[in-house]
Amino acid sequence: MSKKVNTIGVLTSGGDAPGMNAAIRAVVRTALAEGINVKGIRRGYLGLLEEDIFEMKSKNVSDIIQRGGTILYTARCPEFVLPERQDEAAAICRKHGIDGLVVIGGDGSFRGAAALAKRGINTVGVPGTIDLDISCTDYTIGFDTAINTAVETIDRVRDTSTSHERCSIIEVMGRHAGHIALWCGIANGAEEILIAERYDYDEVKIIKRINKRRETGKKHYIIINAEGVGESENMAKRIEAVTGMETRATIIGHAQRGGTPTARDRVYGSVMGAKAVDLLISGASNRVVAYKDSQFVDYDIEEALAMTKDIDQYMYELSMRLSRG
Ligand code: ADP
Ligand code: F6P
């Protein structure tokens, strides 16, 4: 017979992502419906250490499902890697009666959750990041909204790029992963997709392709560049200098991390938040919720962190076939 959970804490950690509010709402309402108290923890592990903790009722999560960002705020808390801070955090959870904790964030946040689980606080992670860079899951909260926002923005840049017969380098987020760039590159019909996982950093090849395309009468040249490759402004200057084609860099930046979540991010965020509570009720700890092969599942956190995920090779090759054909 598993120990009954009395109070569930919930926090968001790392970069925010549209759909996190849907997950928070689901945590709060699923738990309250089971007679479990809920405590919101503001600003991730930083707020936990500062005891920025408040009781959450159903009305605290009214009117948030359609809002981007996270009502709990988020933060990065580098000191949370220290065992003494983790001891402190576990003691704070106990002081506030928190015997179950839902951590919405990425791999780094799950490492913190695993540390608390080792200290007797039952924890479940929910994958929230626009980058899609959590290996155990095919879906992360926020990716769908982020790519749709970026795709719309890139379409706009493409219009003006065509009018001016320019080359445009558009940088999308993803410091450690090129998933956003790959999806946008395909969705926007870009001529080039530069992602750190595949790019050989040979600009001469790109320049040759630009010149070849211009000879065929092509009016614009769209390069989607991942943040992990970076250098967009300098790259634009170099390409313009060598090709003579006017080249502009646009860095979309944080605009793609905000905004109204898509239906998918609201629905999957809700399912994942509720599943995290169901897991805690069942007595589980040190788990992460995932979406794998069209099913909502869960894994042991260490097992999940040991998994690896690469860029989809077929999609990457397809992007080149479609743009260079
Ligand atoms: P994400 O959760 O999106 O991967 P970060 O890597 O920035 O984002 O991690 C978010 C927070 O999780 C960090 O600021 C820190 O508080 C905590 N964290 C990261 N790595 C660890 C770790 N190895 N041990 C404990 N906590 C960690
Ligand atoms: O949340 C992921 C992410 O948006 C990455 O794509 C990006 O590299 C990073 O966060 C940016 O972080 P910050 O908000 O600190 O600029």
Side-chain angles (χ1 to χ4, degrees), residues 15-319:
D16 67 342
M20 281 183 166
N21 282 330
I24 295 167
R25 174 176 174 271
V27 168
V28 172
R29 294 204 169 155
T30 311
L32 291 177
E34 295 295 326
I36 299 166
N37 302 318
V38 183
K39 298 220 171 155
I41 300 160
R42 293 190 188 92
R43 301 191 325 284
Y45 295 120
L46 191 66
L48 178 57
L49 290 171
E50 291 171 352
E51 295 189 56
D52 194 350
I53 299 170
F54 66 105
E55 177 135 7
M56 292 188 87
K57 295 290 180 201
S58 190
K59 70 172 170 31
N60 291 112
V61 291
S62 292
D63 203 25
I64 67 165
I65 196 161
Q66 77 286 11
R67 283 163 54 190
T70 159
I71 60 156
L72 290 177
Y73 304 96
T74 186
R76 297 201 169 85
C77 177
E79 66 193 277
F80 206 71
V81 299
L82 301 172
E84 54 271 33
R85 289 285 100 81
Q86 297 162 1
D87 290 341
E88 248 175 74
I92 290 168
C93 285
R94 272 188 277 275
K95 178 177 159 192
H96 288 263
I98 295 171
D99 46 9
L101 181 66
V102 178
V103 172
I104 306 167
D107 281 350
S109 305
F110 299 158
R111 288 196 171 87
L116 291 175
K118 282 197 187 78
R119 288 160 175 79
I121 308 299
N122 286 357
T123 59
V124 176
V126 169
T129 166
I130 63 163
D131 290 350
L132 196 68
D133 62 344
I134 299 177
S135 300
C136 68
T137 184
D138 299 334
Y139 165 85
T140 60
I141 295 172
F143 176 73
D144 192 56
T145 305
I147 53 170
N148 279 290
T149 303
V151 162
E152 196 187 317
T153 308
I154 294 163
D155 279 344
R156 290 166 198 261
V157 176
R158 185 193 180 104
D159 287 345
T160 169
S161 194
T162 306
S163 306
H164 287 262
E165 301 180 51
R166 280 176 179 156
C167 169
S168 280
I169 302 175
I170 304 156
E171 187 173 310
V172 295
M173 273 189 158
R175 197 176 292 158
H176 304 295
H179 301 286
I180 296 177
L182 177 60
W183 278 67
C184 289
I186 294 176
N188 291 104
E191 275 67 40
E192 301 274 346
I193 299 172
L194 310 183
I195 53 176
E197 294 92 330
R198 295 289 185 279
Y199 182 40
D200 60 7
Y201 294 85
D202 186 348
E203 264 174 35
V204 175
K205 282 192 209 153
I206 298 177
I207 285 161
K208 278 190 188 148
R209 285 194 288 267
I210 293 175
N211 287 334
K212 203 168 146 214
R213 295 292 277 200
R214 289 175 82 197
E215 282 161 20
T216 67
K218 193 88 180 169
K219 297 290 183 222
H220 62 245
Y221 200 90
I222 304 288
I223 301 174
I224 306 294
N225 188 27
E227 184 188 355
V229 172
E231 271 283 296
S232 296
E233 293 282 358
N234 291 333
M235 206 187 286
K237 286 190 192 123
R238 290 193 293 265
I239 287 176
E240 179 166 317
V242 180
T243 62
M245 186 177 191
E246 262 195 317
T247 304
R248 296 282 191 273
T250 304
I251 299 171
I252 304 181
H254 292 90
Q256 71 211 284
R257 218 164 70 186
T260 302
T262 59
R264 182 180 298 269
D265 281 330
R266 298 180 198 197
V267 173
Y268 285 20
S270 299
V271 173
M272 287 179 152
K275 192 167 166 66
V277 171
D278 291 344
L279 283 164
L280 289 170
I281 290 172
S282 75
S285 181
N286 203 44
R287 307 293 294 177
V288 57
V289 178
Y291 183 74
K292 199 81 194 151
D293 303 326
S294 305
Q295 306 255 25
F296 290 97
V297 293
D298 57 283
Y299 297 103
D300 173 82
I301 293 185
E302 272 84 16
E303 198 189 310
L305 290 173
M307 294 180 190
T308 53
K309 167 153 90 179
D310 193 12
I311 286 292
D312 185 312
Q313 186 60 20
Y314 187 82
M315 277 174 70
Y316 181 68
E317 284 169 12
L318 177 69
S319 74

